[in-house]
Amino acid sequence: MQNYKTIAQTGSFEKDIKKSRFIAHLAQTFSEDEANQFIQKIREQESSATHSCTAFIVLENVEIERMSDDGEPSGTAGSPILNVLQQNNLKNVTAVVTRYFGGIKLGAGGLIRAYSSATADAIKEIGLVENRLQQGYKLEIPYHLYDKFENYAKNEKISLEDKAFSTDVTCNIFLDLENHTEIIQDIVNQFQNQIKFEETEQVYKQVAI
């Protein structure tokens, strides 16, 4: 699986359009089952709503896309929500846009604009991250080099995780696959081979964008 963009966290955004209330709920979901569970949760939570229209894109063995108009005229709700997810190039995300009807009909064009804008505004409000596949390393850093290495890591935007202070300082770092070997070689050169390291696992890490 390649690096991919998704939302930063579960969240929602609410807006009123011609007396109808639209609430866009978004969540990270990593399978079709998780997406359907989130949809069911929101539909139960918003059980008095007129409609709860949905769309999701998840990566399992293949990319799966689904949408539902939930009683709105065909093509006016689920498809616009899905289009916004696609236009933002998002993966592993589910959107449920709930509508409480306010008595004024919006027409097909108005519905499309309403469901699209509610979804887009929710994405903007929640924020995005990139899930990057990274190579992990465990480092052993002599105490006299730790401050210098901490500054180096800050400049290179490398997070020091699981720090422990014993005979030496140990920590874990995670580096993008496309340049991890070059960064490790730079660490070797900058610190004259005094920092010990070993490869650990490859994991996805979220990076703000």
Side-chain angles (χ1 to χ4, degrees):
M1 189 187 300
Q2 300 299 313
N3 298 345
Y4 64 91
K5 287 199 302 182
T6 190
I7 57 170
Q9 60 189 350
T10 297
S12 62
F13 181 85
E14 181 175 332
K15 66 188 304 183
D16 291 334
I17 301 174
K18 293 186 178 179
K19 297 186 178 180
S20 281
R21 185 157 57 103
F22 291 84
I23 310 171
H25 306 267
L26 273 68
Q28 285 193 36
T29 52
F30 299 93
S31 69
E32 190 166 9
D33 283 345
E34 281 190 24
N36 287 326
Q37 288 170 16
F38 178 70
I39 290 167
Q40 184 61 30
K41 174 186 173 182
I42 298 302
R43 284 182 169 164
E44 290 174 359
Q45 177 181 312
E46 307 284 358
S47 59
S48 60
T50 316
H51 306 279
S52 283
C53 307
T54 66
F56 64 80
I57 303 173
V58 296
L59 300 170
E60 292 194 61
N61 294 325
V62 295
E63 185 172 302
I64 301 170
E65 297 180 351
R66 300 281 188 269
M67 61 185 176
S68 168
D69 293 312
D70 194 37
E72 292 282 31
S74 179
T76 64
S79 181
I81 298 168
L82 181 61
N83 286 342
V84 172
L85 302 184
Q86 293 169 331
Q87 288 164 7
N88 283 275
N89 198 28
L90 302 184
K91 312 295 183 187
N92 287 346
V93 61
T94 298
V96 183
V97 183
T98 295
R99 180 191 183 193
Y100 288 87
F101 182 54
I104 299 175
K105 292 185 178 180
L106 301 181
L111 287 172
I112 291 169
R113 287 190 295 273
Y115 281 101
S116 296
S117 66
T119 307
D121 289 346
I123 291 170
K124 184 177 180 180
E125 179 77 13
I126 294 166
L128 299 178
V129 294
E130 184 174 27
N131 271 21
R132 295 181 185 169
L133 186 59
Q134 297 187 324
Q135 176 63 56
Y137 290 90
K138 182 176 182 180
L139 274 56
E140 292 184 22
I141 308 164
Y143 268 95
H144 72 279
L145 290 177
Y146 179 71
D147 287 344
K148 181 181 177 182
F149 182 76
E150 192 174 42
N151 287 330
Y152 171 89
K154 183 177 180 180
N155 290 334
E156 297 295 326
K157 297 182 180 179
I158 299 170
S159 295
L160 307 183
E161 301 184 15
D162 304 315
K163 289 182 283 188
F165 298 84
S166 183
T167 306
D168 292 316
V169 182
T170 61
C171 65
N172 293 316
I173 63 172
F174 294 88
L175 306 173
D176 291 344
L177 287 189
E178 58 263 29
N179 62 355
H180 69 104
T181 54
E182 290 89 344
I183 292 175
I184 288 297
Q185 187 59 53
D186 188 50
I187 292 171
V188 169
N189 295 339
Q190 292 271 359
F191 296 90
Q192 300 177 332
N193 208 24
Q194 295 183 72
I195 294 178
K196 298 178 183 178
F197 61 89
E198 62 175 293
E199 270 192 11
T200 56
E201 74 276 24
Q202 289 185 3
V203 296
Y204 275 99
K205 289 285 188 177
Q206 291 190 350
V207 180
I209 56 176

